[in-house]
Amino acid sequence: MREILPTLAGWHTAGVPFGLATVVAVSRSAPRGPGAAMAVGPDDEVVGSVSGGCVEGAVFELAQEVVATGEPRLETFGYSDEDAFAVGLTCGGEITLLVRPVTAGSDPAFGAVAGSVAAGEPVTVATVVDGPAPRGATLAVWPDRTAGALGTDGLDVAVTADARGELALGASVLRHYGPHGERREDAVTVFLQSFAPPPRMLVFGAIDYAAAVARIGDFLGYRVTVCDARPVFATPKRFPAAVEVVADWPHRHLSGTDTDDRTVICVLTHDPKFDVPLLEEALRRPAAYIGAMGSRRTHDERRARLAEAGLTEAELSRLRSPLGLDLGARTPEEVAVSVAAEIVALRWGGSGAPLATTTGAIHAPAVR
């Protein structure tokens, strides 16, 4: 959804109605998770995807239909063994989609939501999926304000509280309420889609490997910063336009930077005077991934220096070094793929093994 919002915002600003299909629930080996979206706009232009191609043809027709009728639809697509030609997911999973028309009148806060997402301001959008409330009604919830309504004041109050809680987690989930927001009831189903600011990737050491890692980090949706103490290397022209470049001592820059449990830290300096104080700072703060480049000998020496600096075994165990998966990578671009693969595997609990050698579901259920 985040990727297609600029296009949708343009349609909304121009007053052009469009059909928006959003994945609100999945089961088994579904190809896309909750929040994945596809829209059909003017001249039948299509943006986004909800299944990687399996049901997009049917969704295209549904989106056209809801724009024509003004009535949202809730549809579930799975796999049919009885009818090989039925529209469904060949992977054996199941997805439930809310398909709704979006106009300036039906969703006046849509532009404000898109603007907040573009600016990195956190916001959650609550949408009625089913039950005795207007299907497709939306309530946008920011940390300090709301816009829209779901049908009753009590429902708005209950959903606002939950939406802010999910926003802190960056989660998108279905919640159930009574018609007036009563807890422990399931008459009304509401989809809470959180747009937390993009997670940060901090890359230290402005070498050629850093440029490749920064590019793939930007591609994966991270807000990337590259930092190096040497101004001659820390120049914006050496990195993608979306990447922030900082000339500063790495440990000093990190000490003044906020990190959280989604932050990725890649230490590519492999120079003790830079990476030891930097890792001493990094391993004592929140982060999803802390990786350091270097040979195994460099790793052993660096680990000994960090232990001498007072880091505990638990803190040292967080260090992924040498960073990356064993892909036989040689070039900076190949190494960047190796690093990205390790980050993704750690995020979702993947083994890093070839899928051909594993069994069971390819897409394991997300752990909240």
Side-chain angles (χ1 to χ4, degrees):
M1 182 66 166
R2 187 187 297 271
E3 288 75 16
I4 67 175
L5 265 178
T7 299
L8 306 190
W11 293 344
H12 189 268
T13 300
V16 178
F18 57 91
L20 177 62
T22 305
V23 177
V24 297
V26 302
S27 65
R28 299 189 296 276
S29 186
R32 304 295 303 275
M38 169 182 156
V40 179
D43 300 321
D44 291 337
E45 180 181 354
V46 177
V47 293
S49 172
V50 292
S51 73
C54 298
V55 302
E56 266 69 3
V59 176
F60 174 81
E61 294 178 357
L62 280 171
Q64 290 179 313
E65 179 182 324
V66 301
V67 170
T69 64
E71 295 295 327
R73 294 275 299 273
L74 187 67
E75 297 286 342
T76 296
F77 294 93
Y79 180 75
S80 174
D81 288 319
E82 290 79 20
D83 184 357
F85 295 99
V87 175
L89 303 181
T90 58
C91 60
E94 185 176 276
I95 60 173
T96 299
L97 303 175
L98 176 67
V99 189
R100 65 185 180 96
V102 178
T103 67
S106 67
D107 196 346
F110 192 92
V113 169
S116 290
V117 174
E121 181 183 13
V123 60
T124 295
V125 178
T127 308
V128 174
V129 172
D130 205 5
R135 178 176 286 166
T138 61
L139 175 68
V141 180
W142 290 267
D144 59 349
R145 65 192 188 280
T146 64
L150 301 180
T152 66
D153 290 344
L155 184 58
D156 288 350
V157 169
V159 170
T160 295
D162 288 344
R164 286 180 174 145
E166 298 301 340
L167 185 57
L169 299 172
S172 295
V173 297
L174 285 175
R175 286 294 186 99
H176 304 278
Y177 307 88
H180 299 279
E182 297 91 342
R183 305 288 182 176
R184 300 181 182 177
E185 294 190 24
D186 59 2
V188 180
T189 303
V190 179
F191 180 58
L192 304 180
Q193 184 170 13
S194 297
F195 295 95
R200 300 203 63 178
M201 173 181 280
L202 305 173
V203 182
F204 294 96
I207 58 177
D208 50 357
Y209 291 96
V213 170
R215 282 195 297 271
I216 203 165
D218 179 56
F219 176 76
L220 290 175
Y222 288 93
R223 181 161 65 94
V224 183
T225 297
V226 175
C227 175
D228 197 297
R230 303 163 296 179
V232 68
F233 294 110
T235 59
K237 66 181 181 181
R238 300 182 63 234
F239 298 93
V243 173
E244 177 189 30
V245 181
V246 175
D248 195 2
W249 279 82
H251 73 281
R252 184 166 61 193
H253 178 70
L254 181 58
S255 67
T257 301
D258 291 331
T259 64
D260 59 26
D261 291 335
R262 302 183 301 154
T263 302
V264 166
I265 299 174
C266 298
V267 179
L268 310 182
T269 51
H270 55 83
D271 183 332
K273 70 176 178 290
F274 291 125
D275 58 20
V276 171
L278 171 59
L279 288 169
E280 186 178 353
E281 173 70 29
L283 293 168
R284 287 174 169 159
R285 58 167 52 228
Y289 175 90
I290 303 170
M293 176 177 278
S295 67
R296 299 195 188 281
R297 177 179 177 180
T298 298
H299 166 73
D300 291 340
E301 293 176 351
R302 184 166 48 208
R303 200 176 191 282
R305 290 172 183 266
L306 289 168
E308 291 173 3
L311 271 76
T312 66
E313 192 60 37
E315 291 168 335
L316 291 171
S317 68
R318 300 178 62 204
L319 179 60
R320 317 283 292 195
S321 174
L323 81 176
L325 297 185
D326 180 13
L327 304 183
R330 294 290 188 272
T331 68
E333 291 74 18
E334 289 173 345
V335 169
V337 170
S338 166
V339 174
E342 183 177 38
I343 291 169
V344 172
L346 187 63
R347 177 182 180 185
W348 297 110
S351 66
L355 288 173
T357 66
T358 64
T359 59
I362 293 176
H363 303 286
V367 178
R368 286 189 57 197

